[in-house]
Amino acid sequence: MDVEQLLTYLARALVDHPDQVSLRLSEAEGARLYELKVSAEDVGKVIGRDGRTVNALRTLLSAAAQKSGQKVRLEILDDRRNAAGAPAAVPDSAQ
């Protein structure tokens, strides 16, 4: 199982609407950037209380990528924030 399959599998297991899970991959700052998008209703499930779930996903993703010598980042896309006019993604350091 590769990194993309692992992340998609875990995200679909966490949410109520697994058919709306999508993953986009891009290169950013010398690392692979995974952007996970889920239903607006499921964003909280993927982030978890105080960000615990997303941090656990980031840890697993990092460990899986490290086996193949990759550097990775995970961002959760939140359409609700875009609708309110706020920035699309909050950097990890701002939390």
Side-chain angles (χ1 to χ4, degrees), residues 8-47:
T8 303
Y9 174 79
L10 291 170
R12 286 185 176 154
L14 290 170
V15 300
D16 291 334
H17 304 284
D19 54 316
Q20 294 185 22
V21 171
S22 66
L23 185 66
R24 187 171 62 181
L25 171 65
S26 61
E27 297 291 326
E29 300 173 11
R32 288 180 164 214
L33 173 62
Y34 291 95
E35 295 177 325
L36 181 64
K37 184 174 181 179
V38 298
S39 163
E41 300 167 2
D42 290 330
V43 171
K45 290 181 177 80
V46 174
I47 294 174

Side-chain angles (χ1 to χ4, degrees), residues 9-10 12 37-38 44 46-47 53-55 59 62-63 69 72 76 80 83 85 87 89:
Y9 174 79
L10 291 170
R12 286 185 176 154
K37 184 174 181 179
V38 298
V46 174
I47 294 174
T53 303
V54 73
N55 286 336
T59 301
S62 179
V72 295
I76 308 299
R80 294 176 303 169

Side-chain angles (χ1 to χ4, degrees), residues 1-3 6 59-70 72:
M1 181 178 280
D2 67 352
V3 175
L6 174 65
T59 301
L60 288 170
L61 183 64
S62 179
Q66 189 175 21
K67 287 182 78 173
S68 60
Q70 300 175 358
V72 295

